[in-house]
Amino acid sequence: PISQLGKPGDYDAAKGGVARSWKIYVVSTRNEPLGKDGVARGDFSLADWVPLLSFASGALPKDALEPHVPRVNSRGTYLATQFDATAAGTGKFTLTGEAIGAWVNGTPVPAGSQMTAPIKAGRNTIVLRIDRPNLVDALKLESADVTFVTGELK
């Protein structure tokens, strides 16, 4: 609700360094022949990416994810967001929630609550693989090292 904007909690946008714009991709029998490499790279030219927005706080609530995450026969559910870096180097990320896989610019990185990945100067893409048994109340990705893209991901 608009009356909650700016107040502490889900609608507080004062804290930067959080991913707010996401896309979700569910691998299905229809698109599985396309392979998962493009998904892991965050190739948004694949037709089945669906945009999702978090709360202003960066929390992506479970009830926003659940309709997209298959209950059975899951072939993979992926979340992607983008960020800009001023210089190449190592980016540090904090993930609230659980991912069973992670890629930065198509390169696998160890998924966990604290992730470190090589990043390039300019636009980067991070992709997380999630599944239904590991969904938490809210997923959130944070970093003080980068600026997350807001608006439409391309």
Side-chain angles (χ1 to χ4, degrees):
I2 225 144
S3 64
Q4 296 300 309
L5 286 176
K7 293 182 180 176
D10 291 332
Y11 302 98
D12 183 5
K15 185 178 180 193
V18 295
R20 294 185 178 104
S21 295
W22 293 89
K23 285 194 176 186
I24 190 166
Y25 188 97
V26 177
V27 178
S28 66
T29 54
R30 185 179 55 75
N31 63 23
E32 189 173 30
L34 299 174
K36 296 179 184 172
D37 290 344
V39 179
R41 283 193 315 273
D43 179 357
F44 297 138
S45 69
L46 297 171
D48 293 327
W49 285 103
V50 176
L52 285 176
L53 295 175
S54 74
F55 286 119
S57 66
L60 189 56
K62 182 178 184 176
D63 61 355
L65 293 170
E66 278 182 321
H68 301 282
V69 182
R71 292 186 186 279
V72 294
N73 299 328
S74 177
R75 290 173 168 80
T77 302
Y78 297 81
L79 284 170
T81 190
Q82 293 179 313
F83 60 88
D84 292 321
T86 56
T90 301
K92 296 177 185 170
F93 301 88
T94 300
L95 177 66
T96 303
E98 190 167 334
I100 58 174
W103 297 261
V104 174
N105 301 320
T107 301
V109 297
S113 60
Q114 299 294 317
M115 297 184 291
T116 304
I119 59 175
K120 62 184 181 182
R123 183 69 40 103
N124 294 261
T125 301
I126 186 166
V127 177
L128 305 173
R129 182 171 180 193
I130 61 171
D131 66 352
R132 183 169 283 277
N134 294 315
L135 286 181
V136 294
D137 289 338
L139 184 137
K140 185 176 184 178
L141 184 66
E142 302 174 80
S143 178
D145 298 334
V146 302
T147 302
F148 287 99
V149 174
T150 57
E152 185 180 357
L153 303 178
K154 299 176 182 180

